[in-house]
Amino acid sequence: MDAHAKHEGPLPPMWHYGETEHDPISTKTLGFWLYMLSDALIFAGLFAAYGVLAQPMDAAGGPTIAQIVHPIAAFWQTLAVLSSVLAYSLATVALKTGNRGGVLLGIIAAIVLGVVFIGLEFSDFATLFSIGATPDRSGLLSAFYIIVATHGLHMMFGILWMLVLIPQIIRSGFNTAIVARLLNLRLFWQFQASVWVCVYVFVYLRGAIQ
Amino acid sequence: MFVQLQGAWSPLFGRLTLDSIPYNNPIIIFAFAFSAIAGLAVVVPVIYFKKIGYIFREWICSVDHKKIGVMYIILGLVMLFRGFVDGFMIRTQQVMADGPSSPGVLEAQHGYLPPSHFDQIYSSHGTLMIIFAATPLLTGLGNIIVPLQIGARDMAFPRMNAISLWLTVMGAMLVMASLFIGDFSDAGWVGLTPLTELPYSPSVGVDYWMWAIQISSIGTTLNAINIITTIIGMRAPGMRWDRLPIFTWTTLSTSIIGLTAFPILGVALALLGADRYLGTHFYTAGMGGNLMLYTDLFWIWGHPEVYFLVLPAFGVLSEVIPTFSEKPLFGYITMVAATFAIAGISWAVWLHHFFTMGAGPMVNTFFSVATMIVGIPTGVKVFNWILTMYRGRITYTTPMLWSVGALMLLLVGGLTGVMLANPAINYTVHNSVFVIAHFHCMVLLIAFTIFAAVIYWFPKVFGFKLDEHNGKRFFWTFCIGTSVVFTAMFALGFEGETRRLDYLYDTDWKPMLIIEEIGIGFYCLSVFYFFKMLFVSIRDREKNRCGADPWGTSRTLEWLTHSPVPFYNFAVTPQVHELDELAWRRANNCEAITPETYEPIHMPKNSMVPIIIGIFAFGFGFGMVWRIWWMAGFSLLAIIAAVIISSFTPDPGYTITAEEMRKMEERKEPPGIVVDSHVPRPMAEERIV
C-alpha cells in the first residue's frame, strides 16, 4: 500500500543536468551569518552575566561601576570604532567599482582607527589597574572586564583579518574567495560596532548614572 | 596571573610531575593495559598491512562527509563503550558498598573505589555519554545522511566539517589523557560551583573536564553552521521544504539548537576558567560572585542540549518506522511542527533542573508549565508513529525492534518527566536516583534509536547488511538490561537513595542493587553480541552484499544511489518530484532508471589543515590543563597561523570528467567508502594540501 498515486502522462525527467551549485559567495555569507548568530549568543551570555553581577553588593566593598566607567573617555572609543566601520564601508564602496587602491586605503584607515580603539582601551585598563580596580577585586569588576575585553579581542581578530587580507588583495586581486572574505569581514566589523554600542549603553552610560 | 597554586610549578612542565601519573593504582593500570591492547589491536594490523598511508590520506585528511560521519560514529561508539565501563564500575561499587558491614578492597573502606575515584568515575560517565558518545554519534549520522537525503554532493564547507570532527576527537582525547596523566573532575559532569573553583578542586581534574568540553563544543558549533547552510543551500532541484525528509528536518532543528546553545556553554565554562586561572569572582562564594549564575548558564545550554540529542533520534524513528511499516509517515506536517515546537520550548525550561534553588512560586510555575507543554508535541509525535504502524505491514527487522523499544522507553521516560515537571513532586525526589532513572530512560531512548540508525544505514555506507541474528540478540539483551536496571532504579529513588553515593547507608536497598547489577550483566552480554554482530557481518560481507535499496521498502532519496555510496554521492543530481522520492519512483516503476549521460563534476581535495588544527587544539588544551604556558601559547599561535596560511592557498578542488564518471558508474561495483583501489586517479595522485 502506498500513498503515491500513479503519475499521469509521460514521466518527468529523473536527473538534473547543468549547474545546481549555489552561488559560493552567498553560501559563505549564510554560513558567516550563522557564525555571527553564535557569536551574538556569546555576548548575550556575557551581558546576562553582567546583568547578574552588576548589583551594588557584587562590588564587594571595592569600587562601584560609577567609579570606574568614564562615558566621555569611552566616547572617543565609540568615535574610533564607528569611524573605522565608516572607513571599511568606503572600502566596500570602492570594491563595487573594482578600485583596488580605494579598497586598500579604506582597509588601512579601518585598521588605524581600530588600533586607536584598542589603544584607548588599553590605556583605560592601565588606569584602572593603577588604582587597584583589577578583575580579581570583585564579581562586578570581573564582569566588567570580561565583557569589555571579549569585545576588544574580537576587534583584534578583525584587525588581524584585515592585515591578512591586504597581501591577498595585492597578490590576487578580487577573486571570488577574496570578495567573499571582504563582504564577511564587513559583517563582522559592523557587528563589532553594534556590540560596542550595547557595551557603551549598558556598561558605560548606565553605569555612570548608577 | 593572579591565582595561588597548591603544589609545584615549573616553566617547562607546568604542574606536570612524575607523581601525576597514577602508576600505583591497580584499576588505572588495568584500564591503561586494556586501552593499550585495544589501541595496538588497531595500530598493529594497520602497520602490518602497510595501510598507514591509506589511513592518513583517505581518512585522516578526508573532507568527505561520509568518512567524517563514520569517524564521528566510531569515536562515539568507543566513548559509549568507555562510558558503559564507567557505569558498570558505578553499579558494582554501589552493590558492594551497601551497609556499614560491607567489606572494602584495594584502598577503599567500602567497595573497591575510594570516594574521590568514585566521584571521578561518575563525572566522566556523564561527560562521556552526553558530550563524547551521544553527541558525536548523532552528529555523525547527520553528517552521513543529510547530504544524501537532500541530494547534495557534499557539505557546504567540507574542510570546516573535518575541523569540527578533529576538535571533537581532541576533546575526547583530553578525557582519555586524564585517565593516565593526572585525574579527572570529581565535581559531577555538570560541574557544580563553587565546588569546581580552584580552592575546592585544586587538582587538574576540573581543568581537563572544562577544556575537553570547551574544545569539542567549538567543533559542535561549527558543525551546526555547516549542517544548516547545507540544508538551506545545497538541496537538489525539486527538493522543496515540504518534501524534505523528516530526519533532515530534525537535524536542521537540532543544529539550530546547537548553534544557539553551545555558545552559552562556552561562556559558562570560560567564566569558570577565568575564575580558576585569573582569580576573578564570577562564581565564587564571596567577593561578589554568584554561584547560581553558573547553574543558570550551564542549564541554559544543558536543557536545549537534551533536545539537541533527542530530536535527531526522533528523526531516525520517523525514517525507520515508515520503512518497516510499508506506509508513508502519518502526519508529515504535524511531525515537522512538533519538531520545531520542541526545539522552541527547549529554551524555556532550563530552570526545572533546579526547582529547589527557591526562585519562588511564580518562576517555578512558569518553568513547570513550560516543561509540561513539551509533552504535547512529543505526544503528537508518538501518536504519529503509532498511527504509521497501525494497519501497516510491519516487519520486525533489527532497526524496527530498536525503534519500538525506543517508543516504550519514551513512554516511561516521558511520563516520569511530566511527574518531575511538577515542582511539588520535584522537591520530594530532587537529587534522588528517581531522576537518574528518568533521564537514563530518555538518553537510552536516544541510544536505542542510534543503534536503529546505525543498523538501518550501515548497508548504505558499507554495501552489506549487518547480521540480523546477532543483531536481534544484541537488541534483546540490551533491552532486558535496560528494563531491569532502571525499573529497580525508579524503586530505589522512591526509597530515598540519593544520587552519586559511593557508600550506601541503608541495607534495605540491597535487593534492588543486586537486581541492578544483574541488569548490568545483561548489558555486558549485549556488548558481546554487538561485537559478535560486527565480526559475523564483516566475515560474511560477500554473502550480505546489497543493492541500492537493501531493505526494499525505503522511501527517501539516499536509497536511490549505490550501496556503498560512491564518494561523489550521486553521479548526476537527481530531480525530486515528491515527498518520499524513492517511494514515488517505485510506485511509478522508475526507481531503476539510471542516468544516460554524465557531466564533469567538481570535488574538494583532501586536506591536512583540519588534523593539524586538531593536534594543536589538543596541545592547547593539554598546555592549559597543566598550565604549561609555552605549550598553550605556541599551540594557539599555530592554530591561527594554520588558518591564515590555508587562507593563502585556497582549495581549487579537482574535476572528474564525464568519461571518468561513466567508467566508474558502469563498473560492477562503484567505488565505496573503504575500497581504496576503486579511488579514481585524481584522488590518488593529487598532492594533499
Side-chain angles (χ1 to χ4, degrees):
Chain A
M1 167 176 134
D2 212 303
H4 289 299
K6 281 269 182 211
H7 189 82
E8 300 289 336
L11 284 168
M14 293 290 137
W15 308 99
H16 180 91
Y17 293 96
E19 273 307 298
T20 54
E21 292 287 319
H22 219 74
D23 167 26
I25 291 187
S26 72
T27 305
K28 279 188 179 155
T29 307
L30 174 61
F32 197 78
W33 272 105
L34 292 171
Y35 155 72
M36 286 211 312
L37 178 60
S38 74
D39 211 11
L41 260 298
I42 288 180
F43 280 108
L46 290 175
F47 273 109
Y50 179 78
V52 170
L53 295 176
Q55 311 301 324
M57 63 185 177
D58 296 305
T64 62
I65 190 74
Q67 287 169 331
I68 56 168
V69 293
H70 302 289
I72 306 295
F75 172 74
W76 300 112
Q77 280 180 275
T78 313
L79 217 54
V81 69
L82 290 183
S83 40
S84 179
V85 168
L86 176 67
Y88 193 88
S89 306
L90 292 175
T92 50
V93 171
L95 178 65
K96 280 188 182 170
T97 55
N99 175 1
R100 202 186 288 199
V103 172
L104 289 174
L105 193 68
I107 291 180
I108 289 166
I111 291 173
V112 169
L113 288 161
V115 170
V116 167
F117 174 87
I118 302 282
L120 288 171
E121 192 160 298
F122 266 103
S123 79
D124 187 26
F125 281 3
T127 318
L128 290 177
F129 268 67
S130 69
I131 60 164
T134 49
D136 56 343
R137 177 62 191 82
S138 68
L140 168 73
L141 281 166
S142 304
F144 166 79
Y145 274 100
I146 197 91
I147 206 160
V148 177
T150 307
H151 175 263
L153 211 60
H154 276 80
M155 292 291 288
M156 286 188 206
F157 269 95
I159 291 169
L160 179 67
W161 191 352
M162 289 182 204
L163 288 172
V164 170
L165 271 181
I166 288 174
Q168 291 186 353
I169 293 168
I170 292 171
R171 197 179 66 155
S172 32
F174 300 120
N175 62 30
T176 314
I178 287 174
V179 171
R181 282 172 202 161
L182 279 168
L183 295 180
N184 288 339
L185 180 52
R186 179 182 62 177
L187 290 176
F188 184 79
W189 208 232
Q190 297 196 342
F191 174 67
Q192 297 320 323
S194 322
V195 171
W196 177 257
V197 170
C198 297
V199 172
Y200 187 65
V201 171
F202 289 108
V203 178
Y204 287 85
L205 290 184
R206 189 167 153 270
I209 57 167
Q210 265 180 349
Chain B
M1 190 172 7
F2 299 105
V3 293
Q4 294 292 319
L5 283 175
Q6 299 178 17
W9 182 86
S10 71
L12 191 58
F13 293 109
R15 303 179 78 186
L16 191 60
T17 56
L18 267 185
D19 296 336
S20 314
I21 296 164
Y23 50 84
N24 50 4
N25 186 324
I27 296 167
I28 290 176
I29 295 291
F30 177 77
F32 181 75
F34 183 85
S35 311
I37 291 168
L40 284 177
V42 175
V43 172
V44 168
V46 167
I47 295 172
Y48 182 77
F49 293 109
K50 297 195 173 59
K51 291 286 185 196
I52 296 178
Y54 161 76
I55 295 277
F56 183 74
R57 281 193 308 273
E58 295 297 330
W59 287 85
I60 291 178
C61 293
S62 179
V63 294
D64 181 348
H65 71 96
K66 297 173 290 296
K67 288 185 175 172
I68 290 171
V70 168
M71 287 187 277
Y72 262 121
I73 289 175
I74 291 172
L75 170 76
L77 288 175
V78 171
M79 290 297 134
L80 189 69
F81 178 73
R82 219 206 109 180
F84 160 74
V85 174
D86 286 339
F88 175 80
M89 289 171 79
I90 296 170
R91 291 266 58 79
T92 309
Q93 166 72 14
Q94 288 202 334
V95 78
M96 283 170 76
D98 185 28
S101 58
S102 56
V105 291
L106 302 175
E107 287 165 40
Q109 202 176 356
H110 297 279
Y112 69 106
L113 291 169
S116 74
H117 195 177
F118 180 79
D119 294 354
Q120 287 178 44
I121 286 173
Y122 69 66
S123 303
S124 72
H125 174 73
T127 310
L128 284 171
M129 287 301 202
I130 300 281
I131 311 262
F132 296 108
T135 304
L137 281 165
L138 292 167
T139 313
L141 281 172
N143 246 304
I144 298 175
I145 302 306
V146 164
L148 289 171
Q149 276 196 335
I150 61 174
R153 199 69 80 208
D154 205 320
M155 298 281 263
F157 310 110
R159 202 186 272 192
M160 193 170 89
N161 201 16
I163 294 174
S164 313
L165 167 74
W166 291 113
L167 289 178
T168 308
V169 170
M170 292 308 159
M173 289 301 111
L174 271 182
V175 181
M176 290 306 288
S178 76
L179 191 55
F180 313 123
I181 310 168
D183 54 359
F184 194 67
S185 168
D186 53 7
W189 81 276
V190 296
L192 303 154
T193 49
L195 181 57
T196 44
E197 293 284 341
L198 201 59
Y200 312 102
S201 296
S203 79
V204 294
V206 171
D207 299 325
Y208 264 124
W209 164 82
M210 186 172 76
W211 290 110
I213 296 180
Q214 192 74 288
I215 290 172
S216 78
S217 70
I218 294 172
T220 311
T221 314
L222 292 180
N223 185 267
I225 292 175
N226 218 334
I227 293 255
I228 297 172
T229 315
T230 307
I231 295 175
I232 292 177
M234 313 282 279
R235 282 166 292 142
M239 180 58 85
R240 302 189 322 222
W241 287 105
D242 59 345
R243 292 174 184 166
L244 211 56
I246 292 285
F247 182 74
T248 303
W249 270 118
T250 54
T251 311
L252 177 66
S253 66
T254 221
S255 298
I256 294 171
I257 294 176
L259 180 69
T260 47
F262 275 88
I264 304 292
L265 176 67
V267 169
L269 293 177
L271 300 189
L272 179 65
D275 277 6
R276 286 182 66 88
Y277 287 84
L278 305 176
T280 54
H281 294 285
F282 290 105
Y283 309 133
T284 50
M287 298 298 280
N290 190 326
L291 47 98
M292 284 318 290
L293 174 64
Y294 175 81
T295 312
D296 269 296
L297 285 177
F298 184 88
W299 285 112
I300 287 175
W301 161 78
H303 204 85
E305 160 74 8
V306 176
Y307 295 141
F308 175 88
L309 298 178
V310 88
L311 285 174
F314 288 166
V316 171
L317 293 180
S318 307
E319 299 289 339
V320 172
I321 289 175
T323 298
F324 297 109
S325 304
E326 300 189 30
K327 269 176 70 184
L329 182 71
F330 183 90
Y332 170 83
I333 291 173
T334 54
M335 203 60 125
V336 175
T339 302
F340 278 83
I342 295 175
I345 302 169
S346 79
W347 274 93
V349 295
W350 80 85
L351 194 124
H352 69 211
H353 292 270
F354 44 98
F355 278 138
T356 52
M357 172 173 80
M362 284 308 287
V363 173
N364 279 2
T365 307
F366 172 83
F367 283 96
S368 165
V369 172
T371 307
M372 290 186 199
I373 287 174
V374 179
I376 296 170
T378 314
V380 168
K381 279 174 170 279
V382 172
F383 281 108
N384 278 350
W385 291 317
I386 291 171
L387 289 170
T388 307
M389 287 191 276
Y390 178 64
R391 292 199 164 180
R393 200 182 293 123
I394 300 180
T395 39
Y396 281 106
T397 55
T398 327
M400 188 63 176
L401 282 177
W402 284 109
S403 302
V404 175
L407 284 186
M408 293 305 295
L409 277 177
L410 178 58
L411 193 66
V412 178
L415 290 178
T416 49
V418 175
M419 284 170 71
L420 288 169
N422 185 334
I425 299 176
N426 199 298
Y427 265 69
T428 314
V429 290
H430 178 82
N431 212 36
S432 76
V433 293
F434 182 82
V435 180
I436 312 303
H438 153 70
F439 74 66
H440 275 83
C441 282
M442 297 313 273
V443 181
L444 277 158
L445 135 80
I446 296 164
F448 271 48
T449 55
I450 286 169
F451 290 130
V454 167
I455 297 168
Y456 180 60
W457 277 303
F458 187 89
K460 184 81 268 177
V461 177
F462 290 100
F464 59 94
K465 276 192 187 181
L466 286 172
D467 181 47
E468 284 277 302
H469 180 69
N470 285 299
K472 281 180 182 163
R473 290 182 175 198
F474 171 42
F475 167 73
W476 283 114
T477 45
F478 197 97
C479 192
I480 293 169
T482 306
S483 318
V484 172
V485 172
F486 294 104
T487 309
M489 200 181 281
F490 275 123
L492 278 174
F494 278 140
E495 288 177 19
E497 187 197 334
T498 49
R499 64 192 296 194
R500 295 170 173 162
L501 292 181
D502 66 295
Y503 164 69
L504 291 84
Y505 48 84
D506 191 340
T507 44
D508 288 345
W509 295 338
K510 192 80 180 179
M512 286 299 172
L513 290 169
I514 292 172
I515 290 173
E516 286 186 337
E517 190 71 10
I518 293 170
I520 285 285
F522 278 100
Y523 273 125
C524 294
L525 212 57
S526 80
V527 173
F528 167 74
Y529 281 121
F530 174 77
F531 284 112
K532 196 175 169 201
M533 171 180 81
L534 281 188
F535 173 75
V536 170
S537 314
I538 293 172
R539 188 190 64 195
D540 298 343
R541 62 187 177 279
E542 293 307 327
K543 208 163 63 191
N544 295 330
R545 286 267 173 231
C546 58
D549 180 13
W551 305 105
T553 51
S554 318
R555 311 185 64 81
T556 40
L557 199 57
E558 75 269 28
W559 304 101
L560 192 61
T561 183
H562 310 281
S563 307
V565 187
F567 62 92
Y568 46 80
N569 291 358
F570 296 91
V572 180
T573 307
Q575 178 79 40
V576 180
H577 308 90
E578 275 290 342
L579 175 67
D580 295 345
E581 175 68 13
L582 183 68
W584 178 84
R585 291 196 182 196
R586 198 185 292 120
N588 288 294
N589 296 322
C590 54
E591 83 266 35
I593 297 179
T594 50
E596 285 163 13
T597 56
Y598 297 95
E599 289 180 317
I601 58 169
H602 191 249
M603 298 294 295
K605 274 199 281 195
N606 288 353
S607 168
M608 250 160 62
V609 175
I611 181 69
I612 289 174
I613 290 178
I615 288 169
F616 282 117
F618 180 86
F620 174 74
F622 194 80
M624 289 304 283
V625 167
W626 290 98
R627 297 173 195 240
I628 312 172
W629 304 127
W630 64 265
M631 187 195 259
F634 174 76
S635 303
L636 190 62
L637 287 178
I639 292 172
I640 295 170
V643 172
I644 291 176
I645 291 168
S646 74
S647 82
F648 275 91
T649 50
D651 175 25
Y654 64 93
T655 304
I656 304 173
T657 62
E659 193 47 41
E660 280 175 310
M661 286 301 293
R662 173 177 297 283
K663 271 189 206 152
M664 280 190 287
E665 281 291 298
E666 288 175 355
R667 203 168 7 209
K668 201 156 155 252
E669 283 171 42
I673 193 161
V674 287
V675 196
D676 60 339
S677 59
H678 286 173
V679 172
R681 187 183 48 79
M683 205 61 172
E685 284 184 7
E686 284 296 343
R687 194 169 59 86
I688 298 164
V689 178

